Amino acid sequence: MEITTKGIDEFVVNVLSEVGRSLIIDTTKNKLVDTKKNRNDLVTNFDKSTEQFVVSMIKEAYPEATIVSEEGFGDDVQSMDGLVFFVDPIDGTMNFVKRGDDFASMIGVYLDGEPFIGGIIDVMRKKIFHGGPNYGIFCDNEKINLPENKALIDGLIDISAPMALNNYLNTQEVVKNSSGLRVYGSAGIIFEHLLLGKEVMYMSYLAPWDLAAGRVLCEGAGLRVASVDDTPVNMLKSQVVIAGTQNVVSEVLKTVKNCD
Ligand code: 2AM
Ligand code: CA
């Protein structure tokens, strides 16, 4: 299929709509829950079946693309050349299992290393955020109002719980200088909050599939996504990332740099 922003955006929205419909019906059924690296690193039969579905749809529509995905049904991707899809079938699996809410499914698409199109579905609210830097940022095909460039003192922030509890890189100082801390447990849901201007910053250790779609959407919405040492974000490794308004990300980078 020809590669166009419109074509990929429509593809991503169609696939995420299917995923959302299926997960809302299926969440009423029993989940088979397993652990991965530790007792709080969960995977369910739905993470696996959703990823298999998304990967098969991508391979059918874009056979030339490579796929980076969480549960192992993608490819062993070593290069960002060409069309690369990042798939997180269920983001916030702990929320999915324990709360049945505040989880997402995400697809991020990059072309020759550049953010191209991203899609995040907030499954239980049935909302899809999608689009990209040269295309526009939409919620369910309607352009969103882009978030204001707020300062840290004027906004709520989200930092992963272990980082804030351990005062990693002086994060407690960042919290003190903000309107307050929120911890939602799903990167996708937090990226939604950033796009809607409900929060002004997110800092967490993120894997490529946790970050890919949110980075595309944030950058398309005029927000900034930086690695914690302010080197270019590497989409093929896990890293500590700061996403938020331009003002807040530059202020937080200064605070974490001056931590020792
Ligand atoms: P997941 O549910 O897809 O695993 C809060 O836990 C957020 O961080 C979620 O988006 C979760 O994604 C992600 N996450 C959890 N553990 C992680 C880890 N060890 N490395 C990277 N991301 C992680
Ligand atoms: Ca996941």
Side-chain angles (χ1 to χ4, degrees), residues 56-97:
S56 69
M57 295 293 282
I58 296 168
K59 285 195 184 292
E60 195 182 318
Y62 298 99
E64 74 282 22
T66 54
I67 305 170
V68 180
S69 58
E70 181 166 17
E71 312 301 348
F73 299 101
D75 306 311
D76 179 16
V77 177
Q78 302 293 337
S79 155
M80 290 294 288
D81 291 347
L83 194 60
V84 184
F85 281 75
F86 293 81
V87 178
D88 191 345
I90 299 181
D91 171 68
T93 302
M94 184 61 90
N95 286 354
F96 175 65
V97 171

Side-chain angles (χ1 to χ4, degrees), residues 33-78:
V33 183
D34 211 342
T35 56
K36 294 195 283 187
K37 283 184 231 121
N38 59 61
R39 73 179 178 88
N40 287 329
D41 188 7
L42 304 184
V43 61
T44 73
N45 49 326
F46 294 108
D47 296 68
K48 293 177 188 167
S49 59
T50 302
E51 183 169 307
Q52 276 176 308
F53 167 72
V54 175
V55 165
S56 69
M57 295 293 282
I58 296 168
K59 285 195 184 292
E60 195 182 318
Y62 298 99
E64 74 282 22
T66 54
I67 305 170
V68 180
S69 58
E70 181 166 17
E71 312 301 348
F73 299 101
D75 306 311
D76 179 16
V77 177
Q78 302 293 337

Side-chain angles (χ1 to χ4, degrees), residues 93-124:
T93 302
M94 184 61 90
N95 286 354
F96 175 65
V97 171
K98 302 284 180 188
R99 296 161 49 88
D101 196 3
D102 290 325
F103 60 93
S105 186
M106 312 198 278
I107 303 174
V109 189
Y110 287 64
L111 184 61
D112 291 327
E114 294 300 318
F116 196 60
I117 288 290
I120 297 175
I121 181 164
D122 178 334
V123 174
M124 299 313 284

Side-chain angles (χ1 to χ4, degrees), residues 20-220:
R21 266 196 293 276
S22 162
L23 282 176
I24 279 194
I25 297 163
D26 286 347
T27 45
T28 58
K29 298 185 193 153
N30 278 342
K31 301 175 183 95
L32 301 174
V33 183
D34 211 342
T35 56
K36 294 195 283 187
K37 283 184 231 121
N38 59 61
R39 73 179 178 88
N40 287 329
D41 188 7
L42 304 184
V43 61
T44 73
N45 49 326
F46 294 108
D47 296 68
K48 293 177 188 167
S49 59
T50 302
E51 183 169 307
Q52 276 176 308
F53 167 72
V54 175
V55 165
S56 69
M57 295 293 282
I58 296 168
K59 285 195 184 292
E60 195 182 318
Y62 298 99
E64 74 282 22
T66 54
I67 305 170
V68 180
S69 58
E70 181 166 17
E71 312 301 348
F73 299 101
D75 306 311
D76 179 16
V77 177
Q78 302 293 337
S79 155
M80 290 294 288
D81 291 347
L83 194 60
V84 184
F85 281 75
F86 293 81
V87 178
D88 191 345
I90 299 181
D91 171 68
T93 302
M94 184 61 90
N95 286 354
F96 175 65
V97 171
K98 302 284 180 188
R99 296 161 49 88
D101 196 3
D102 290 325
F103 60 93
S105 186
M106 312 198 278
I107 303 174
V109 189
Y110 287 64
L111 184 61
D112 291 327
E114 294 300 318
F116 196 60
I117 288 290
I120 297 175
I121 181 164
D122 178 334
V123 174
M124 299 313 284
R125 285 174 202 80
K126 301 184 184 171
K127 295 236 167 279
I128 300 181
F129 294 83
H130 60 103
N134 297 309
Y135 188 64
I137 305 299
F138 304 84
C139 177
D140 297 332
N141 294 315
E142 298 229 349
K143 273 204 167 169
I144 64 164
N145 292 322
L146 297 183
E148 284 171 48
N149 187 11
K150 285 188 188 154
L152 184 58
I153 199 161
D154 292 323
L156 295 167
I157 62 173
D158 198 301
I159 299 175
S160 79
M163 279 187 191
L165 289 170
N166 293 311
N167 196 23
Y168 175 76
L169 294 178
N170 215 3
T171 37
Q172 291 179 6
E173 185 64 24
V174 177
V175 175
K176 280 181 208 149
N177 293 334
S178 74
S179 300
L181 177 66
R182 299 291 180 271
V183 183
Y184 284 92
S186 157
I189 299 299
I190 299 160
F191 284 124
E192 170 184 347
H193 295 165
L194 294 179
L195 293 169
L196 295 174
K198 292 179 172 184
E199 287 173 27
V200 296
M201 198 277 292
Y202 176 38
M203 179 169 166
S204 185
Y205 179 76
L206 296 179
W209 43 82
D210 297 320
L211 174 64
R215 179 184 170 205
V216 176
L217 293 169
C218 282
E219 293 187 357

